[in-house]
Amino acid sequence: MSVNVSENPISVPARSVRRVILEAVKFGAVGGSGVLVNFLFFNLLLHGLGWRAMAATVLASLIAMGSNYLGFRYFTYRDRASRTRQQIALFFVFSAIGIAMESGLFYIGYHGLGLHGPVESNAVKGVSIVLASGFRFLVYRTWVFRH
């Protein structure tokens, strides 16, 4: 008796890789919209309304965190376990850690390196978001939106 292996053209590891790639693309789409929300509110608060830099970056990040939760829950990880109090708590705890990382990196660039202008402050904000997003991707997929 022989087994025809050509019936399953995609192996299990290849499916796993495709699933992680699709997840990363969805994470990027939601995260990208969150970045836009973050930058919009950051610039409105800092450059439009004259708020202090750290207050503007933290509040903008908090607003983006709320919009990201909805995107991750209902788009990126909608196939995962349903919404629970534990999931929501973990999301906001890890998001708060991510905001602390992002804000700390922003502080170093804005205050430590003196990058105060509109272009420089946005560049520092962007770098801080990118670096904190790596942490967020790992913890969201591992602990918050588990299978």
mmCIF file with all atom_site columns, all heavy atoms in Angstrom, residues 14-42:
data_model
loop_
_atom_site.group_PDB
_atom_site.id
_atom_site.type_symbol
_atom_site.label_atom_id
_atom_site.label_alt_id
_atom_site.label_comp_id
_atom_site.label_asym_id
_atom_site.label_entity_id
_atom_site.label_seq_id
_atom_site.pdbx_PDB_ins_code
_atom_site.Cartn_x
_atom_site.Cartn_y
_atom_site.Cartn_z
_atom_site.occupancy
_atom_site.B_iso_or_equiv
_atom_site.pdbx_formal_charge
_atom_site.auth_seq_id
_atom_site.auth_comp_id
_atom_site.auth_asym_id
_atom_site.auth_atom_id
_atom_site.pdbx_PDB_model_num
ATOM 1   N N   . ALA A 1 14 ? 5.017  24.611 6.866  1.00 0.00 ? 14 ALA A N   1
ATOM 2   C CA  . ALA A 1 14 ? 4.735  25.688 5.918  1.00 0.00 ? 14 ALA A CA  1
ATOM 3   C C   . ALA A 1 14 ? 3.434  26.392 6.286  1.00 0.00 ? 14 ALA A C   1
ATOM 4   O O   . ALA A 1 14 ? 3.343  27.622 6.195  1.00 0.00 ? 14 ALA A O   1
ATOM 5   C CB  . ALA A 1 14 ? 4.669  25.146 4.492  1.00 0.00 ? 14 ALA A CB  1
ATOM 6   N N   . ARG A 1 15 ? 2.433  25.637 6.720  1.00 0.00 ? 15 ARG A N   1
ATOM 7   C CA  . ARG A 1 15 ? 1.180  26.253 7.171  1.00 0.00 ? 15 ARG A CA  1
ATOM 8   C C   . ARG A 1 15 ? 1.413  27.119 8.398  1.00 0.00 ? 15 ARG A C   1
ATOM 9   O O   . ARG A 1 15 ? 0.851  28.199 8.516  1.00 0.00 ? 15 ARG A O   1
ATOM 10  C CB  . ARG A 1 15 ? 0.128  25.193 7.473  1.00 0.00 ? 15 ARG A CB  1
ATOM 11  C CG  . ARG A 1 15 ? -0.688 24.834 6.249  1.00 0.00 ? 15 ARG A CG  1
ATOM 12  C CD  . ARG A 1 15 ? -1.830 23.927 6.603  1.00 0.00 ? 15 ARG A CD  1
ATOM 13  N NE  . ARG A 1 15 ? -1.341 22.578 6.304  1.00 0.00 ? 15 ARG A NE  1
ATOM 14  C CZ  . ARG A 1 15 ? -1.707 21.476 6.887  1.00 0.00 ? 15 ARG A CZ  1
ATOM 15  N NH1 . ARG A 1 15 ? -2.612 21.495 7.814  1.00 0.00 ? 15 ARG A NH1 1
ATOM 16  N NH2 . ARG A 1 15 ? -1.210 20.311 6.549  1.00 0.00 ? 15 ARG A NH2 1
ATOM 17  N N   . SER A 1 16 ? 2.243  26.649 9.304  1.00 0.00 ? 16 SER A N   1
ATOM 18  C CA  . SER A 1 16 ? 2.550  27.427 10.501 1.00 0.00 ? 16 SER A CA  1
ATOM 19  C C   . SER A 1 16 ? 3.251  28.725 10.140 1.00 0.00 ? 16 SER A C   1
ATOM 20  O O   . SER A 1 16 ? 2.941  29.780 10.703 1.00 0.00 ? 16 SER A O   1
ATOM 21  C CB  . SER A 1 16 ? 3.432  26.620 11.450 1.00 0.00 ? 16 SER A CB  1
ATOM 22  O OG  . SER A 1 16 ? 2.736  25.490 11.906 1.00 0.00 ? 16 SER A OG  1
ATOM 23  N N   . VAL A 1 17 ? 4.174  28.657 9.211  1.00 0.00 ? 17 VAL A N   1
ATOM 24  C CA  . VAL A 1 17 ? 4.885  29.859 8.768  1.00 0.00 ? 17 VAL A CA  1
ATOM 25  C C   . VAL A 1 17 ? 3.911  30.821 8.103  1.00 0.00 ? 17 VAL A C   1
ATOM 26  O O   . VAL A 1 17 ? 3.928  32.026 8.377  1.00 0.00 ? 17 VAL A O   1
ATOM 27  C CB  . VAL A 1 17 ? 6.053  29.501 7.825  1.00 0.00 ? 17 VAL A CB  1
ATOM 28  C CG1 . VAL A 1 17 ? 6.623  30.727 7.146  1.00 0.00 ? 17 VAL A CG1 1
ATOM 29  C CG2 . VAL A 1 17 ? 7.135  28.755 8.585  1.00 0.00 ? 17 VAL A CG2 1
ATOM 30  N N   . ARG A 1 18 ? 3.045  30.307 7.245  1.00 0.00 ? 18 ARG A N   1
ATOM 31  C CA  . ARG A 1 18 ? 2.049  31.155 6.576  1.00 0.00 ? 18 ARG A CA  1
ATOM 32  C C   . ARG A 1 18 ? 1.120  31.804 7.593  1.00 0.00 ? 18 ARG A C   1
ATOM 33  O O   . ARG A 1 18 ? 0.761  32.971 7.464  1.00 0.00 ? 18 ARG A O   1
ATOM 34  C CB  . ARG A 1 18 ? 1.240  30.353 5.570  1.00 0.00 ? 18 ARG A CB  1
ATOM 35  C CG  . ARG A 1 18 ? 2.032  30.035 4.308  1.00 0.00 ? 18 ARG A CG  1
ATOM 36  C CD  . ARG A 1 18 ? 1.236  29.257 3.324  1.00 0.00 ? 18 ARG A CD  1
ATOM 37  N NE  . ARG A 1 18 ? 0.074  30.041 2.887  1.00 0.00 ? 18 ARG A NE  1
ATOM 38  C CZ  . ARG A 1 18 ? -0.912 29.554 2.180  1.00 0.00 ? 18 ARG A CZ  1
ATOM 39  N NH1 . ARG A 1 18 ? -0.912 28.279 1.820  1.00 0.00 ? 18 ARG A NH1 1
ATOM 40  N NH2 . ARG A 1 18 ? -1.913 30.313 1.811  1.00 0.00 ? 18 ARG A NH2 1
ATOM 41  N N   . ARG A 1 19 ? 0.741  31.060 8.620  1.00 0.00 ? 19 ARG A N   1
ATOM 42  C CA  . ARG A 1 19 ? -0.156 31.586 9.651  1.00 0.00 ? 19 ARG A CA  1
ATOM 43  C C   . ARG A 1 19 ? 0.520  32.724 10.421 1.00 0.00 ? 19 ARG A C   1
ATOM 44  O O   . ARG A 1 19 ? -0.100 33.765 10.672 1.00 0.00 ? 19 ARG A O   1
ATOM 45  C CB  . ARG A 1 19 ? -0.587 30.478 10.609 1.00 0.00 ? 19 ARG A CB  1
ATOM 46  C CG  . ARG A 1 19 ? -1.597 30.944 11.629 1.00 0.00 ? 19 ARG A CG  1
ATOM 47  C CD  . ARG A 1 19 ? -2.131 29.865 12.533 1.00 0.00 ? 19 ARG A CD  1
ATOM 48  N NE  . ARG A 1 19 ? -1.135 28.874 12.880 1.00 0.00 ? 19 ARG A NE  1
ATOM 49  C CZ  . ARG A 1 19 ? -1.312 27.556 12.774 1.00 0.00 ? 19 ARG A CZ  1
ATOM 50  N NH1 . ARG A 1 19 ? -2.452 27.078 12.345 1.00 0.00 ? 19 ARG A NH1 1
ATOM 51  N NH2 . ARG A 1 19 ? -0.364 26.724 13.108 1.00 0.00 ? 19 ARG A NH2 1
ATOM 52  N N   . VAL A 1 20 ? 1.796  32.560 10.764 1.00 0.00 ? 20 VAL A N   1
ATOM 53  C CA  . VAL A 1 20 ? 2.514  33.613 11.490 1.00 0.00 ? 20 VAL A CA  1
ATOM 54  C C   . VAL A 1 20 ? 2.707  34.840 10.593 1.00 0.00 ? 20 VAL A C   1
ATOM 55  O O   . VAL A 1 20 ? 2.568  35.974 11.050 1.00 0.00 ? 20 VAL A O   1
ATOM 56  C CB  . VAL A 1 20 ? 3.867  33.096 12.023 1.00 0.00 ? 20 VAL A CB  1
ATOM 57  C CG1 . VAL A 1 20 ? 4.724  34.240 12.557 1.00 0.00 ? 20 VAL A CG1 1
ATOM 58  C CG2 . VAL A 1 20 ? 3.641  32.056 13.108 1.00 0.00 ? 20 VAL A CG2 1
ATOM 59  N N   . ILE A 1 21 ? 2.980  34.616 9.309  1.00 0.00 ? 21 ILE A N   1
ATOM 60  C CA  . ILE A 1 21 ? 3.130  35.743 8.379  1.00 0.00 ? 21 ILE A CA  1
ATOM 61  C C   . ILE A 1 21 ? 1.814  36.507 8.252  1.00 0.00 ? 21 ILE A C   1
ATOM 62  O O   . ILE A 1 21 ? 1.783  37.736 8.317  1.00 0.00 ? 21 ILE A O   1
ATOM 63  C CB  . ILE A 1 21 ? 3.647  35.266 7.002  1.00 0.00 ? 21 ILE A CB  1
ATOM 64  C CG1 . ILE A 1 21 ? 5.104  34.814 7.126  1.00 0.00 ? 21 ILE A CG1 1
ATOM 65  C CG2 . ILE A 1 21 ? 3.508  36.363 5.958  1.00 0.00 ? 21 ILE A CG2 1
ATOM 66  C CD1 . ILE A 1 21 ? 5.640  34.116 5.896  1.00 0.00 ? 21 ILE A CD1 1
ATOM 67  N N   . LEU A 1 22 ? 0.713  35.787 8.094  1.00 0.00 ? 22 LEU A N   1
ATOM 68  C CA  . LEU A 1 22 ? -0.599 36.437 8.009  1.00 0.00 ? 22 LEU A CA  1
ATOM 69  C C   . LEU A 1 22 ? -0.910 37.194 9.298  1.00 0.00 ? 22 LEU A C   1
ATOM 70  O O   . LEU A 1 22 ? -1.416 38.318 9.268  1.00 0.00 ? 22 LEU A O   1
ATOM 71  C CB  . LEU A 1 22 ? -1.695 35.412 7.715  1.00 0.00 ? 22 LEU A CB  1
ATOM 72  C CG  . LEU A 1 22 ? -3.118 35.967 7.619  1.00 0.00 ? 22 LEU A CG  1
ATOM 73  C CD1 . LEU A 1 22 ? -3.232 36.995 6.493  1.00 0.00 ? 22 LEU A CD1 1
ATOM 74  C CD2 . LEU A 1 22 ? -4.100 34.829 7.402  1.00 0.00 ? 22 LEU A CD2 1
ATOM 75  N N   . GLU A 1 23 ? -0.590 36.589 10.418 1.00 0.00 ? 23 GLU A N   1
ATOM 76  C CA  . GLU A 1 23 ? -0.794 37.244 11.702 1.00 0.00 ? 23 GLU A CA  1
ATOM 77  C C   . GLU A 1 23 ? 0.036  38.525 11.796 1.00 0.00 ? 23 GLU A C   1
ATOM 78  O O   . GLU A 1 23 ? -0.459 39.565 12.250 1.00 0.00 ? 23 GLU A O   1
ATOM 79  C CB  . GLU A 1 23 ? -0.407 36.287 12.828 1.00 0.00 ? 23 GLU A CB  1
ATOM 80  C CG  . GLU A 1 23 ? -0.564 36.833 14.210 1.00 0.00 ? 23 GLU A CG  1
ATOM 81  C CD  . GLU A 1 23 ? -0.112 35.829 15.262 1.00 0.00 ? 23 GLU A CD  1
ATOM 82  O OE1 . GLU A 1 23 ? -0.243 34.609 15.061 1.00 0.00 ? 23 GLU A OE1 1
ATOM 83  O OE2 . GLU A 1 23 ? 0.385  36.291 16.302 1.00 0.00 ? 23 GLU A OE2 1
ATOM 84  N N   . ALA A 1 24 ? 1.281  38.465 11.358 1.00 0.00 ? 24 ALA A N   1
ATOM 85  C CA  . ALA A 1 24 ? 2.152  39.643 11.389 1.00 0.00 ? 24 ALA A CA  1
ATOM 86  C C   . ALA A 1 24 ? 1.618  40.744 10.473 1.00 0.00 ? 24 ALA A C   1
ATOM 87  O O   . ALA A 1 24 ? 1.674  41.933 10.821 1.00 0.00 ? 24 ALA A O   1
ATOM 88  C CB  . ALA A 1 24 ? 3.576  39.265 10.996 1.00 0.00 ? 24 ALA A CB  1
ATOM 89  N N   . VAL A 1 25 ? 1.080  40.367 9.313  1.00 0.00 ? 25 VAL A N   1
ATOM 90  C CA  . VAL A 1 25 ? 0.505  41.357 8.399  1.00 0.00 ? 25 VAL A CA  1
ATOM 91  C C   . VAL A 1 25 ? -0.722 42.016 9.044  1.00 0.00 ? 25 VAL A C   1
ATOM 92  O O   . VAL A 1 25 ? -0.875 43.247 8.994  1.00 0.00 ? 25 VAL A O   1
ATOM 93  C CB  . VAL A 1 25 ? 0.154  40.706 7.036  1.00 0.00 ? 25 VAL A CB  1
ATOM 94  C CG1 . VAL A 1 25 ? -0.703 41.621 6.188  1.00 0.00 ? 25 VAL A CG1 1
ATOM 95  C CG2 . VAL A 1 25 ? 1.425  40.312 6.299  1.00 0.00 ? 25 VAL A CG2 1
ATOM 96  N N   . LYS A 1 26 ? -1.591 41.211 9.641  1.00 0.00 ? 26 LYS A N   1
ATOM 97  C CA  . LYS A 1 26 ? -2.766 41.770 10.318 1.00 0.00 ? 26 LYS A CA  1
ATOM 98  C C   . LYS A 1 26 ? -2.342 42.643 11.496 1.00 0.00 ? 26 LYS A C   1
ATOM 99  O O   . LYS A 1 26 ? -2.908 43.721 11.726 1.00 0.00 ? 26 LYS A O   1
ATOM 100 C CB  . LYS A 1 26 ? -3.695 40.651 10.800 1.00 0.00 ? 26 LYS A CB  1
ATOM 101 C CG  . LYS A 1 26 ? -4.454 39.958 9.698  1.00 0.00 ? 26 LYS A CG  1
ATOM 102 C CD  . LYS A 1 26 ? -5.329 38.873 10.295 1.00 0.00 ? 26 LYS A CD  1
ATOM 103 C CE  . LYS A 1 26 ? -6.234 38.232 9.271  1.00 0.00 ? 26 LYS A CE  1
ATOM 104 N NZ  . LYS A 1 26 ? -7.114 37.235 9.909  1.00 0.00 ? 26 LYS A NZ  1
ATOM 105 N N   . PHE A 1 27 ? -1.351 42.180 12.262 1.00 0.00 ? 27 PHE A N   1
ATOM 106 C CA  . PHE A 1 27 ? -0.832 42.968 13.377 1.00 0.00 ? 27 PHE A CA  1
ATOM 107 C C   . PHE A 1 27 ? -0.304 44.301 12.856 1.00 0.00 ? 27 PHE A C   1
ATOM 108 O O   . PHE A 1 27 ? -0.564 45.356 13.440 1.00 0.00 ? 27 PHE A O   1
ATOM 109 C CB  . PHE A 1 27 ? 0.291  42.200 14.090 1.00 0.00 ? 27 PHE A CB  1
ATOM 110 C CG  . PHE A 1 27 ? 0.853  42.916 15.290 1.00 0.00 ? 27 PHE A CG  1
ATOM 111 C CD1 . PHE A 1 27 ? 0.310  42.707 16.541 1.00 0.00 ? 27 PHE A CD1 1
ATOM 112 C CD2 . PHE A 1 27 ? 1.928  43.782 15.173 1.00 0.00 ? 27 PHE A CD2 1
ATOM 113 C CE1 . PHE A 1 27 ? 0.828  43.356 17.656 1.00 0.00 ? 27 PHE A CE1 1
ATOM 114 C CE2 . PHE A 1 27 ? 2.449  44.437 16.274 1.00 0.00 ? 27 PHE A CE2 1
ATOM 115 C CZ  . PHE A 1 27 ? 1.901  44.220 17.519 1.00 0.00 ? 27 PHE A CZ  1
ATOM 116 N N   . GLY A 1 28 ? 0.399  44.260 11.741 1.00 0.00 ? 28 GLY A N   1
ATOM 117 C CA  . GLY A 1 28 ? 0.935  45.479 11.141 1.00 0.00 ? 28 GLY A CA  1
ATOM 118 C C   . GLY A 1 28 ? -0.153 46.427 10.678 1.00 0.00 ? 28 GLY A C   1
ATOM 119 O O   . GLY A 1 28 ? -0.034 47.650 10.819 1.00 0.00 ? 28 GLY A O   1
ATOM 120 N N   . ALA A 1 29 ? -1.239 45.879 10.122 1.00 0.00 ? 29 ALA A N   1
ATOM 121 C CA  . ALA A 1 29 ? -2.349 46.723 9.664  1.00 0.00 ? 29 ALA A CA  1
ATOM 122 C C   . ALA A 1 29 ? -3.010 47.429 10.845 1.00 0.00 ? 29 ALA A C   1
ATOM 123 O O   . ALA A 1 29 ? -3.252 48.645 10.805 1.00 0.00 ? 29 ALA A O   1
ATOM 124 C CB  . ALA A 1 29 ? -3.374 45.894 8.897  1.00 0.00 ? 29 ALA A CB  1
ATOM 125 N N   . VAL A 1 30 ? -3.300 46.685 11.892 1.00 0.00 ? 30 VAL A N   1
ATOM 126 C CA  . VAL A 1 30 ? -3.910 47.291 13.078 1.00 0.00 ? 30 VAL A CA  1
ATOM 127 C C   . VAL A 1 30 ? -2.909 48.229 13.747 1.00 0.00 ? 30 VAL A C   1
ATOM 128 O O   . VAL A 1 30 ? -3.249 49.357 14.116 1.00 0.00 ? 30 VAL A O   1
ATOM 129 C CB  . VAL A 1 30 ? -4.394 46.210 14.071 1.00 0.00 ? 30 VAL A CB  1
ATOM 130 C CG1 . VAL A 1 30 ? -4.818 46.827 15.394 1.00 0.00 ? 30 VAL A CG1 1
ATOM 131 C CG2 . VAL A 1 30 ? -5.537 45.416 13.467 1.00 0.00 ? 30 VAL A CG2 1
ATOM 132 N N   . GLY A 1 31 ? -1.684 47.759 13.873 1.00 0.00 ? 31 GLY A N   1
ATOM 133 C CA  . GLY A 1 31 ? -0.657 48.607 14.473 1.00 0.00 ? 31 GLY A CA  1
ATOM 134 C C   . GLY A 1 31 ? -0.423 49.872 13.672 1.00 0.00 ? 31 GLY A C   1
ATOM 135 O O   . GLY A 1 31 ? -0.232 50.951 14.236 1.00 0.00 ? 31 GLY A O   1
ATOM 136 N N   . GLY A 1 32 ? -0.460 49.758 12.339 1.00 0.00 ? 32 GLY A N   1
ATOM 137 C CA  . GLY A 1 32 ? -0.292 50.926 11.485 1.00 0.00 ? 32 GLY A CA  1
ATOM 138 C C   . GLY A 1 32 ? -1.387 51.949 11.705 1.00 0.00 ? 32 GLY A C   1
ATOM 139 O O   . GLY A 1 32 ? -1.123 53.163 11.767 1.00 0.00 ? 32 GLY A O   1
ATOM 140 N N   . SER A 1 33 ? -2.619 51.471 11.838 1.00 0.00 ? 33 SER A N   1
ATOM 141 C CA  . SER A 1 33 ? -3.708 52.419 12.115 1.00 0.00 ? 33 SER A CA  1
ATOM 142 C C   . SER A 1 33 ? -3.524 53.040 13.497 1.00 0.00 ? 33 SER A C   1
ATOM 143 O O   . SER A 1 33 ? -3.799 54.223 13.697 1.00 0.00 ? 33 SER A O   1
ATOM 144 C CB  . SER A 1 33 ? -5.076 51.738 11.990 1.00 0.00 ? 33 SER A CB  1
ATOM 145 O OG  . SER A 1 33 ? -5.275 50.808 13.031 1.00 0.00 ? 33 SER A OG  1
ATOM 146 N N   . GLY A 1 34 ? -3.026 52.245 14.442 1.00 0.00 ? 34 GLY A N   1
ATOM 147 C CA  . GLY A 1 34 ? -2.741 52.774 15.779 1.00 0.00 ? 34 GLY A CA  1
ATOM 148 C C   . GLY A 1 34 ? -1.630 53.811 15.754 1.00 0.00 ? 34 GLY A C   1
ATOM 149 O O   . GLY A 1 34 ? -1.675 54.805 16.479 1.00 0.00 ? 34 GLY A O   1
ATOM 150 N N   . VAL A 1 35 ? -0.634 53.583 14.902 1.00 0.00 ? 35 VAL A N   1
ATOM 151 C CA  . VAL A 1 35 ? 0.450  54.558 14.755 1.00 0.00 ? 35 VAL A CA  1
ATOM 152 C C   . VAL A 1 35 ? -0.101 55.870 14.209 1.00 0.00 ? 35 VAL A C   1
ATOM 153 O O   . VAL A 1 35 ? 0.266  56.960 14.671 1.00 0.00 ? 35 VAL A O   1
ATOM 154 C CB  . VAL A 1 35 ? 1.581  53.998 13.853 1.00 0.00 ? 35 VAL A CB  1
ATOM 155 C CG1 . VAL A 1 35 ? 2.558  55.086 13.440 1.00 0.00 ? 35 VAL A CG1 1
ATOM 156 C CG2 . VAL A 1 35 ? 2.319  52.868 14.562 1.00 0.00 ? 35 VAL A CG2 1
ATOM 157 N N   . LEU A 1 36 ? -0.987 55.772 13.224 1.00 0.00 ? 36 LEU A N   1
ATOM 158 C CA  . LEU A 1 36 ? -1.599 56.992 12.682 1.00 0.00 ? 36 LEU A CA  1
ATOM 159 C C   . LEU A 1 36 ? -2.383 57.746 13.754 1.00 0.00 ? 36 LEU A C   1
ATOM 160 O O   . LEU A 1 36 ? -2.283 58.973 13.865 1.00 0.00 ? 36 LEU A O   1
ATOM 161 C CB  . LEU A 1 36 ? -2.499 56.656 11.500 1.00 0.00 ? 36 LEU A CB  1
ATOM 162 C CG  . LEU A 1 36 ? -1.802 56.168 10.238 1.00 0.00 ? 36 LEU A CG  1
ATOM 163 C CD1 . LEU A 1 36 ? -2.822 55.773 9.175  1.00 0.00 ? 36 LEU A CD1 1
ATOM 164 C CD2 . LEU A 1 36 ? -0.842 57.223 9.701  1.00 0.00 ? 36 LEU A CD2 1
ATOM 165 N N   . VAL A 1 37 ? -3.168 57.017 14.540 1.00 0.00 ? 37 VAL A N   1
ATOM 166 C CA  . VAL A 1 37 ? -3.914 57.627 15.643 1.00 0.00 ? 37 VAL A CA  1
ATOM 167 C C   . VAL A 1 37 ? -2.933 58.265 16.630 1.00 0.00 ? 37 VAL A C   1
ATOM 168 O O   . VAL A 1 37 ? -3.125 59.411 17.074 1.00 0.00 ? 37 VAL A O   1
ATOM 169 C CB  . VAL A 1 37 ? -4.814 56.582 16.348 1.00 0.00 ? 37 VAL A CB  1
ATOM 170 C CG1 . VAL A 1 37 ? -5.353 57.103 17.680 1.00 0.00 ? 37 VAL A CG1 1
ATOM 171 C CG2 . VAL A 1 37 ? -5.942 56.146 15.433 1.00 0.00 ? 37 VAL A CG2 1
ATOM 172 N N   . ASN A 1 38 ? -1.872 57.540 16.947 1.00 0.00 ? 38 ASN A N   1
ATOM 173 C CA  . ASN A 1 38 ? -0.862 58.019 17.886 1.00 0.00 ? 38 ASN A CA  1
ATOM 174 C C   . ASN A 1 38 ? -0.233 59.321 17.391 1.00 0.00 ? 38 ASN A C   1
ATOM 175 O O   . ASN A 1 38 ? -0.171 60.314 18.111 1.00 0.00 ? 38 ASN A O   1
ATOM 176 C CB  . ASN A 1 38 ? 0.195  56.926 18.074 1.00 0.00 ? 38 ASN A CB  1
ATOM 177 C CG  . ASN A 1 38 ? 0.989  57.072 19.351 1.00 0.00 ? 38 ASN A CG  1
ATOM 178 O OD1 . ASN A 1 38 ? 1.207  58.164 19.851 1.00 0.00 ? 38 ASN A OD1 1
ATOM 179 N ND2 . ASN A 1 38 ? 1.453  55.946 19.855 1.00 0.00 ? 38 ASN A ND2 1
ATOM 180 N N   . PHE A 1 39 ? 0.229  59.337 16.144 1.00 0.00 ? 39 PHE A N   1
ATOM 181 C CA  . PHE A 1 39 ? 0.856  60.532 15.576 1.00 0.00 ? 39 PHE A CA  1
ATOM 182 C C   . PHE A 1 39 ? -0.146 61.687 15.457 1.00 0.00 ? 39 PHE A C   1
ATOM 183 O O   . PHE A 1 39 ? 0.204  62.840 15.708 1.00 0.00 ? 39 PHE A O   1
ATOM 184 C CB  . PHE A 1 39 ? 1.462  60.238 14.204 1.00 0.00 ? 39 PHE A CB  1
ATOM 185 C CG  . PHE A 1 39 ? 2.875  59.744 14.271 1.00 0.00 ? 39 PHE A CG  1
ATOM 186 C CD1 . PHE A 1 39 ? 3.157  58.417 14.016 1.00 0.00 ? 39 PHE A CD1 1
ATOM 187 C CD2 . PHE A 1 39 ? 3.922  60.601 14.574 1.00 0.00 ? 39 PHE A CD2 1
ATOM 188 C CE1 . PHE A 1 39 ? 4.452  57.951 14.071 1.00 0.00 ? 39 PHE A CE1 1
ATOM 189 C CE2 . PHE A 1 39 ? 5.219  60.140 14.639 1.00 0.00 ? 39 PHE A CE2 1
ATOM 190 C CZ  . PHE A 1 39 ? 5.496  58.809 14.390 1.00 0.00 ? 39 PHE A CZ  1
ATOM 191 N N   . LEU A 1 40 ? -1.363 61.399 15.064 1.00 0.00 ? 40 LEU A N   1
ATOM 192 C CA  . LEU A 1 40 ? -2.375 62.441 14.919 1.00 0.00 ? 40 LEU A CA  1
ATOM 193 C C   . LEU A 1 40 ? -2.595 63.163 16.246 1.00 0.00 ? 40 LEU A C   1
ATOM 194 O O   . LEU A 1 40 ? -2.523 64.396 16.318 1.00 0.00 ? 40 LEU A O   1
ATOM 195 C CB  . LEU A 1 40 ? -3.693 61.842 14.415 1.00 0.00 ? 40 LEU A CB  1
ATOM 196 C CG  . LEU A 1 40 ? -4.870 62.811 14.354 1.00 0.00 ? 40 LEU A CG  1
ATOM 197 C CD1 . LEU A 1 40 ? -4.696 63.761 13.180 1.00 0.00 ? 40 LEU A CD1 1
ATOM 198 C CD2 . LEU A 1 40 ? -6.168 62.054 14.224 1.00 0.00 ? 40 LEU A CD2 1
ATOM 199 N N   . PHE A 1 41 ? -2.839 62.401 17.301 1.00 0.00 ? 41 PHE A N   1
ATOM 200 C CA  . PHE A 1 41 ? -3.086 63.014 18.599 1.00 0.00 ? 41 PHE A CA  1
ATOM 201 C C   . PHE A 1 41 ? -1.822 63.636 19.185 1.00 0.00 ? 41 PHE A C   1
ATOM 202 O O   . PHE A 1 41 ? -1.872 64.705 19.804 1.00 0.00 ? 41 PHE A O   1
ATOM 203 C CB  . PHE A 1 41 ? -3.721 62.004 19.572 1.00 0.00 ? 41 PHE A CB  1
ATOM 204 C CG  . PHE A 1 41 ? -5.189 61.858 19.341 1.00 0.00 ? 41 PHE A CG  1
ATOM 205 C CD1 . PHE A 1 41 ? -5.679 60.843 18.526 1.00 0.00 ? 41 PHE A CD1 1
ATOM 206 C CD2 . PHE A 1 41 ? -6.089 62.747 19.910 1.00 0.00 ? 41 PHE A CD2 1
ATOM 207 C CE1 . PHE A 1 41 ? -7.029 60.724 18.288 1.00 0.00 ? 41 PHE A CE1 1
ATOM 208 C CE2 . PHE A 1 41 ? -7.448 62.629 19.681 1.00 0.00 ? 41 PHE A CE2 1
ATOM 209 C CZ  . PHE A 1 41 ? -7.923 61.610 18.860 1.00 0.00 ? 41 PHE A CZ  1
ATOM 210 N N   . PHE A 1 42 ? -0.671 62.993 18.982 1.00 0.00 ? 42 PHE A N   1
ATOM 211 C CA  . PHE A 1 42 ? 0.598  63.547 19.464 1.00 0.00 ? 42 PHE A CA  1
ATOM 212 C C   . PHE A 1 42 ? 0.839  64.932 18.861 1.00 0.00 ? 42 PHE A C   1
ATOM 213 O O   . PHE A 1 42 ? 1.131  65.894 19.577 1.00 0.00 ? 42 PHE A O   1
ATOM 214 C CB  . PHE A 1 42 ? 1.743  62.588 19.102 1.00 0.00 ? 42 PHE A CB  1
ATOM 215 C CG  . PHE A 1 42 ? 3.113  63.149 19.357 1.00 0.00 ? 42 PHE A CG  1
ATOM 216 C CD1 . PHE A 1 42 ? 3.591  63.310 20.646 1.00 0.00 ? 42 PHE A CD1 1
ATOM 217 C CD2 . PHE A 1 42 ? 3.941  63.501 18.299 1.00 0.00 ? 42 PHE A CD2 1
ATOM 218 C CE1 . PHE A 1 42 ? 4.861  63.829 20.885 1.00 0.00 ? 42 PHE A CE1 1
ATOM 219 C CE2 . PHE A 1 42 ? 5.211  64.007 18.523 1.00 0.00 ? 42 PHE A CE2 1
ATOM 220 C CZ  . PHE A 1 42 ? 5.669  64.172 19.817 1.00 0.00 ? 42 PHE A CZ  1
#
